[in-house]
Amino acid sequence: MDMSTLDRGQITLLGSSFCVMLSMHFTVQLLSQHLFYWKNPKEQKAIIIIILMAPIYAIDSFVGLLDIRGSKAFFMFLDSIKECYEALVIAKFLALMYSYLNISISKNIVPDGIKGREIQHSFPMTLFQPRTFRLNHHTLKLLKYWTWQFVIIRPLCSILMITLQLLGMYPTWVSWTFTIILNISVSLALYSLVVFYHVFAKELEPHKPLAKFMCIKGIVFFCFWQGVVLDILAAVGIIKSHHFWLDVEHIEQAIQNVLVCLEMVVFSVLQQYAYHVSPYSGDVEAKMRFKKNE
């Protein structure tokens, strides 16, 4: 292929497709390792759902590049796919942490060693909950509900938003209403994860929970804040349209999609460390036995 004959749009598509393939390569590599060492289905099912987040985001963004002049409803649909999957990943991450600690809410299993621990809420949760409470089956169930409410609210809001957009009934105040609802919902879900981590940081340390969580939070963080930065750049006139058939909003969306394709390569590599297969392949046990023998 003669690169000199390609225009900027074609080069962008080619580069983005390469990034998508890289994300898929690293993810499939890690996924196949977990499938090969299939020792703990409960934990590894959650891990597989989590590591698929990077390629799904990359593919979703690449589809947005294929139809750069798509409608608002089209781009809203693509964003909804990413955000609904984000909700599922957050819930599965908490389930993974529960599994590490041998907690089962459905079977009412809470190890005696962790019962009665003190948990302290911070503002603004202290407006709705006691500042201090003790850990028991009820509080663990509450943390689970706070996480799973986002899994339910996110798809429902997406369906309503897309429907209203198609019907032409999506004024600014409706958009802001959905934004506020979703931000409260995701903040509550993430808050429950932070509370859980602070309470069980010592027990979870061998499982590298912070690295695992940062892979999820990093994807969400970059996608959200670079979108905010692009909105500001478009508002002050730095991002401009030089084509009558392409407005600033579509250019902004295209830049966001290209950045996501690039970033997902990085996160798919980081997941190789955070969600490594060694705990299930026997490497970790072998190293522990070796250290004991020394």
Side-chain angles (χ1 to χ4, degrees), residues 37-49:
Y37 294 106
W38 194 251
K39 299 288 181 64
N40 190 325
K42 187 177 181 181
E43 291 180 9
Q44 289 175 284
K45 283 178 184 177
I47 288 173
I48 286 173
I49 289 173

Side-chain angles (χ1 to χ4, degrees), residues 15-178:
S16 298
S17 64
F18 179 69
C19 289
V20 172
M21 287 188 289
L22 276 178
S23 297
M24 292 179 66
H25 166 74
F26 290 123
T27 303
V28 169
Q29 185 182 58
L30 182 59
L31 188 148
S32 62
Q33 290 171 357
H34 277 281
L35 292 176
F36 186 79
Y37 294 106
W38 194 251
K39 299 288 181 64
N40 190 325
K42 187 177 181 181
E43 291 180 9
Q44 289 175 284
K45 283 178 184 177
I47 288 173
I48 286 173
I49 289 173
I50 292 169
I51 65 176
L52 285 173
M53 187 179 186
I56 285 174
Y57 267 54
I59 293 168
D60 185 276
S61 297
F62 183 71
V63 171
L65 287 172
L66 293 176
D67 188 8
I68 195 172
R69 288 183 288 176
S71 64
K72 287 185 177 180
F74 171 71
F75 288 117
M76 188 179 289
F77 172 72
L78 292 179
D79 288 339
S80 296
I81 292 174
K82 289 187 288 191
E83 289 162 1
C84 289
Y85 198 82
E86 171 200 335
L88 176 62
V89 165
I90 290 173
K92 284 299 179 181
F93 179 79
L94 182 63
L96 180 63
M97 298 299 105
Y98 274 24
S99 180
Y100 286 153
L101 297 172
N102 297 316
I103 296 172
S104 176
I105 301 299
S106 59
K107 296 179 181 178
N108 198 19
I109 298 174
V110 181
D112 293 332
I114 64 177
K115 285 181 180 178
R117 288 192 182 181
E118 187 177 274
I119 300 177
Q120 291 192 341
H121 281 305
S122 55
F123 183 83
M125 287 304 297
T126 49
L127 298 175
F128 313 100
Q129 293 284 324
R131 179 175 291 276
T132 303
F133 63 99
R134 295 290 175 179
L135 186 70
N136 53 33
H137 181 265
H138 172 73
T139 53
L140 286 171
K141 187 183 288 186
L142 189 63
L143 290 176
K144 182 179 179 180
Y145 288 160
W146 285 353
T147 305
W148 274 95
Q149 54 80 27
F150 184 49
V151 181
I152 297 169
I153 290 175
R154 176 66 257 190
L156 287 176
C157 286
S158 295
I159 292 169
L160 288 172
M161 289 163 68
I162 294 169
T163 303
L164 292 172
Q165 185 74 56
L166 291 172
L167 294 174
M169 302 166 58
Y170 200 72
T172 304
W173 69 269
V174 172
S175 175
W176 276 105
T177 301
F178 279 119

Side-chain angles (χ1 to χ4, degrees), residues 250-261:
H250 285 103
I251 292 175
E252 182 185 338
Q253 187 70 49
I255 295 172
Q256 169 81 325
N257 286 331
V258 171
L259 290 174
V260 171
C261 288

